[in-house]
Amino acid sequence: MLTDEDIKNLNNLCLENRKHILDMVYSAQSGHIGGSLSSCEIMTVLFHKCMRHSIGGKLSSDYQFRDRFVLSKGHVSPIYYSVLAQLGFISKSELKTFRKLGTRLQGHPSLWCPGIEVATGSLGQGLSMACGIAMALKLDNNNANVFVLLGDGELQEGNVWEAFMQASHRNLNNLVAIIDRNRLQIDGNTENVKSLDDLSAKLRAFNWNVIEIDGHDLIQIYDSIEIAKLAAKPTVIIANTIKGKGISFMENNAGWHGKAPSKEDYEKAMLELS
């Protein structure tokens, strides 16, 4: 259960993450800002309140029992790097090197960066990777959980549905998939590109436990993840979000999928976040 103090702290962390995202993409003049902003609350709650991981980036005695995370929508690496910096896996000053030559903070997550389990970026593959990790953990009698964050646009890839089928068949109840359902992809609205609805019904038909939430509500995010950890079968959380959340002129605008802000845009956005 989240306390009032927890919610206050998480809101402050989310605000810091949004500022980091904006700084990183503006500085690099490259990167994916819209989806990073839409998944901000999800990533902040997951990493700060729900996952077991090493403390301060240092391996603890029970590190083998850490929860694993796969960022299937690897292009939203700015939010990933920001939460890793908050936890001490990397320094906050290193965020300034995002997408720069020789950096550990590539445009898509790579194993060069501490705290990252798998390199991702080819959309549609992350859930399959997570299935493999979850199966391996069960074979090792390791009770760690595996979390994977997917974009809704990548659900149009066939490989995702093979993975949904595999997870159910193998009863991978240690696997939690979270879908950032912002309904926008690079080509526009998901329902115009290739319709996904009724998404809940589709996922239930694949024998997954399905929870649908407001993906910006801290309490709903936390509660759904904690429920998912106790489920008897794999769980998918459909988190309804707003692309570009937190910056008014970026919200619900597909044009900000992978666009870097100008100096004027940056100053206007930072003013809104201040």
Side-chain angles (χ1 to χ4, degrees):
M1 179 178 178
L2 294 180
T3 65
D4 290 343
E5 187 65 23
D6 288 331
I7 293 171
K8 179 181 177 181
N9 290 337
L10 286 168
N11 276 321
N12 289 335
L13 289 167
C14 286
L15 179 60
E16 181 182 49
N17 281 330
R18 286 195 162 88
K19 290 179 179 179
H20 284 164
I21 291 164
L22 185 60
D23 275 334
M24 292 161 71
V25 178
Y26 174 68
S27 176
Q29 278 299 289
S30 179
H32 295 78
I33 198 166
S36 293
L37 291 170
S38 67
S39 54
C40 183
E41 280 81 9
I42 297 167
M43 292 287 284
T44 304
V45 173
L46 176 63
F47 274 83
H48 283 280
K49 300 302 292 185
C50 300
M51 283 183 64
R52 292 177 295 176
H53 45 64
S54 57
I55 305 301
K58 298 178 181 178
L59 305 186
S60 60
S61 59
D62 64 343
Y63 187 65
Q64 70 188 72
F65 299 108
R66 72 196 181 283
D67 291 332
R68 273 68 165 179
F69 174 75
V70 178
L71 182 64
S72 189
K73 49 181 291 182
H75 54 285
V76 302
S77 58
I79 180 60
Y80 197 1
Y81 297 141
S82 185
V83 294
L84 289 177
Q86 288 176 333
L87 291 166
F89 283 90
I90 57 176
S91 69
K92 292 182 181 179
S93 63
E94 189 172 358
L95 296 177
K96 298 176 183 177
T97 72
F98 175 66
R99 281 187 176 235
K100 303 292 175 63
L101 186 64
T103 183
R104 298 192 295 181
L105 309 187
Q106 295 292 309
H108 293 77
S110 77
L111 296 178
W112 293 342
C113 180
I116 290 178
E117 298 284 349
V118 293
T120 56
S122 297
L123 291 177
Q125 297 182 4
L127 186 59
S128 293
M129 295 179 188
C131 280
I133 297 169
M135 289 171 65
L137 289 170
K138 281 188 172 289
L139 288 170
D140 288 341
N141 293 315
N142 186 325
N143 68 353
N145 294 301
V146 183
F147 299 95
V148 55
L149 179 65
L150 303 103
D152 50 1
E154 72 174 308
L155 300 186
Q156 296 159 353
E157 302 272 2
N159 193 25
V160 176
W161 295 94
E162 292 181 42
F164 278 128
M165 191 161 45
Q166 172 73 355
S168 174
H169 179 69
R170 295 293 180 184
N171 194 33
L172 300 179
N173 63 323
N174 57 341
L175 175 61
V176 181
I178 305 172
I179 298 170
D180 181 9
R181 185 71 167 117
N182 60 41
R183 293 181 175 267
L184 291 176
Q185 58 191 105
I186 193 168
D187 292 325
N189 189 284
T190 55
E191 302 313 288
N192 295 330
V193 176
K194 188 180 290 184
S195 178
L196 295 168
D197 282 333
D198 183 345
L199 185 55
S200 293
K202 286 182 172 73
L203 293 165
R204 288 192 177 93
F206 276 69
N207 199 30
W208 277 60
N209 181 41
V210 180
I211 304 172
E212 191 157 2
I213 64 167
D214 176 345
H216 300 301
D217 186 303
L218 300 174
I219 294 174
Q220 288 187 38
I221 296 167
Y222 175 80
D223 287 347
S224 64
I225 294 172
E226 293 303 301
I227 289 169
K229 288 182 188 178
L230 302 174
K233 58 184 179 180
T235 295
V236 57
I237 298 168
I238 302 173
N240 293 295
T241 61
I242 297 171
K243 194 150 193 163
K245 175 69 174 179
I247 300 174
S248 62
F249 60 91
M250 294 184 184
E251 290 187 355
N252 279 325
N253 187 337
W256 287 101
H257 174 84
K259 176 184 174 182
S262 65
K263 185 174 186 292
E264 181 182 357
D265 291 330
Y266 171 80
E267 291 175 349
K268 183 179 177 182
M270 195 58 78
L271 185 61
E272 288 192 14
L273 296 174
S274 62

